[in-house]
């Protein structure tokens, strides 16, 4: 199951003793993993976090991104900016 691999990748990719994932590592893992899952918005997401977030990725952010990608897929036409996200 892809979700299990995605969730495992967070812990596997972290530096020893760190709770968060270094941004450059996260971007590399997202690029790899979402090429398998085929989420077309991955490159836009990676560009956004590199330009605006500029800090380590928490486990919560990592897990929520998968749910976001699964729910909204190829475009944001169903996205509600006033929703629970």
């Amino acid at each position: 199951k892809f979700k299990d691999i995605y969730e495992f990748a967070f812990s596997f990719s972290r530096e020893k003793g760190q709770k968060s994932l270094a941004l450059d590592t996260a971007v590399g893992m997202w690029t790899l993993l979402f090429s398998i899952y085929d989420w077309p918005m991955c490159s836009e997401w990676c560009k956004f976090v590199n330009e605006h977030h500029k800090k380590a990725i928490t486990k919560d952010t990592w897990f929520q991104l998968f749910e976001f990608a699964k729910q909204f897929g190829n475009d944001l036409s169903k996205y509600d900016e006033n929703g629970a996200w």
Side-chain angles (χ1 to χ4, degrees), residues 16-82:
K16 186 175 181 177
Q18 297 297 308
K19 290 185 177 186
S20 298
L21 190 56
L23 181 59
D24 60 334
T25 303
V27 168
M29 291 301 291
W30 281 325
T31 302
L32 173 68
L33 292 165
F34 283 121
S35 70
I36 297 165
Y37 186 73
D38 195 28
W39 182 46
M41 297 187 68
C42 181
S43 60
E44 288 89 354
W45 168 255
C46 291
K47 182 178 176 183
F48 173 81
V49 295
N50 274 316
E51 292 177 1
H52 300 285
H53 186 69
K54 300 180 184 177
K55 54 186 175 183
I57 302 299
T58 64
K59 186 175 182 178
D60 185 52
T61 300
W62 181 268
F63 282 41
Q64 288 298 315
L65 181 63
F66 176 76
E67 295 302 323
F68 183 88
K70 189 170 72 172
Q71 183 171 350
F72 297 108
N74 297 341
D75 62 46
L76 298 177
S77 61
K78 297 178 187 174
Y79 179 74
D80 176 7
E81 67 181 53
N82 296 317

